[in-house]
Amino acid sequence: MDLVTIDDIRAAAGRINGTAVRTPLLRMGEAWLKPESLQPVGSFKIRGAYNALAALRPAGVVTHSSGNHGQALAFAAAEFGVPCVVVVPEGTPAVKAAAIEGWGAELVVVPPDQREVTAERLAGERGLTLVPPYDHRAVIAGQGTIGLEIVEDLPDVEVVLVPVSGGGLAAGVATAVKALRPDVRVYGVEPELAADAAESLAAGHVVAWETTRTFRTIADGLRVHQVSELTFAHLREHLEGIVTVSEDELRAAMRHIARTARLVAEPSGAATTAALLSGRVPAGRTVAVLSGGNVDPELFAQVYA
């Protein structure tokens, strides 16, 4: 398997400079948050999406997404002046669907198990380039720029926590961190109700979960995608392991972030803080990646009440 390298990630950093925000490290108690919710599309996804378009220069793009990658690709496509189609599953939060259309993309809503095949069909029918949310080297390299920034801003970091869904974010961040600081321990985090990546690592091969299982979690950004062979190879090479968190822990972490760091986190973005608060990760100078803040307002109100 041809894995992404630190040189790929450094090249991506050059491409996204001036478009993606270099998010700061913010103290939250004894740890630091990397708040990717401050990106122009509200999540880290702008890094990978923009890097892919800058590298590929397609005439038009299509993707399947739980919402955040769709927003990022729509934003990037608007920047490059090319058409964009985003296929999302039924049940995608309205705030994410509206943002995708707000950036000028065409929104296609399908049953959860039809999203990938629909995106592939539209790519063929319309001559569009498929830019998947995680299963692409340019996307992984773009997400890896977060790891570069973490090590540059906190050189003595000891533990990094990263959410896992399809694995592109964790693959990129872990690749960058381990290349620069091999001694740093990088852990993935996912919900107990969508723990396919944890099961895959334990089994030594990709294990797929049905959407009827993964859609039980409130972490909509972590329930749609399964790890691919490409991302799994990176996770197996670079992660120390994966910590799983409960639904109650996700809700508690959202409240903790709002009250302590004064930031809004969607459930997926709060997963790393949930792991940190659980006490199930090693002690040390820890950075938790807050991957996004595009939370449904009604859900946030219920959780914060």
Side-chain angles (χ1 to χ4, degrees):
M1 183 72 70
D2 186 18
L3 302 186
V4 169
T5 68
I6 189 66
D7 289 337
D8 296 325
I9 295 171
R10 286 183 170 129
R15 294 189 190 102
I16 70 173
N17 184 41
T19 298
V21 174
R22 184 189 175 98
T23 53
L25 292 182
L26 302 178
R27 285 301 294 263
M28 184 183 69
E30 298 301 312
W32 286 260
L33 283 181
K34 179 73 166 166
E36 289 295 294
S37 53
L38 301 181
Q39 294 292 349
V41 296
S43 83
F44 73 95
K45 292 286 190 177
I46 186 59
R47 297 173 182 266
Y50 193 88
N51 184 54
L53 263 69
L56 300 174
R57 298 288 174 151
V61 291
V62 61
T63 195
H64 53 91
S65 172
S66 60
N68 281 339
H69 175 68
Q71 291 184 61
L73 194 66
F75 175 92
E79 291 286 298
F80 283 95
V82 300
C84 176
V85 180
V86 180
V87 181
V88 300
E90 295 168 347
T92 295
V95 65
K96 294 184 178 181
I100 290 169
E101 292 184 305
W103 291 115
E106 176 185 346
L107 186 72
V108 178
V109 182
V110 300
D113 61 354
Q114 294 296 306
R115 63 193 186 279
E116 292 186 35
V117 67
T118 301
E120 291 168 358
R121 175 177 58 79
L122 291 172
E125 290 177 355
R126 303 191 189 183
L128 301 171
T129 297
L130 179 63
V131 180
Y134 57 92
D135 192 23
H136 194 288
R137 287 176 53 83
V139 173
I140 293 172
Q143 321 305 26
T145 58
I146 293 173
L148 286 181
E149 294 173 10
I150 289 173
V151 175
E152 289 173 358
D153 292 347
L154 191 68
D156 56 352
V157 61
E158 296 173 302
V159 179
V160 175
L161 305 177
V162 194
V164 178
S165 178
L169 173 61
V173 171
T175 296
V177 171
K178 287 292 190 178
L180 298 172
R181 287 284 311 279
D183 57 314
V184 175
R185 292 161 291 177
V186 183
Y187 290 87
V189 183
E190 63 183 349
E192 292 174 353
L193 298 183
D196 57 289
E199 186 173 335
S200 296
L201 285 180
H205 58 83
V206 174
V207 177
W209 283 27
E210 297 293 330
T211 54
T212 52
R213 294 180 69 187
T214 61
F215 266 60
R216 296 172 298 165
T217 179
I218 62 170
D220 59 279
L222 302 181
R223 69 189 181 192
V224 172
H225 305 298
Q226 308 286 334
V227 292
S228 67
E229 293 293 344
L230 177 61
T231 56
F232 178 72
H234 288 79
L235 302 186
R236 185 170 55 183
E237 180 73 17
H238 299 303
L239 284 190
E240 310 302 321
I242 291 182
V243 178
T244 60
V245 294
S246 70
E247 299 299 288
D248 286 343
E249 287 172 330
L250 288 171
R251 291 183 174 92
M254 291 172 67
R255 290 192 293 270
H256 183 82
I257 291 168
R259 293 168 179 168
T260 306
R262 278 77 175 176
L263 292 170
V264 173
E266 60 187 279
S268 305
T272 53
T273 296
L276 182 67
L277 296 176
S278 75
R280 294 193 292 275
V281 296
R285 295 173 67 82
T286 301
V287 174
V289 178
L290 195 172
S291 56
N294 295 317
V295 60
D296 178 81
E298 292 185 7
L299 173 61
F300 184 78
Q302 293 170 7
V303 168
Y304 193 73

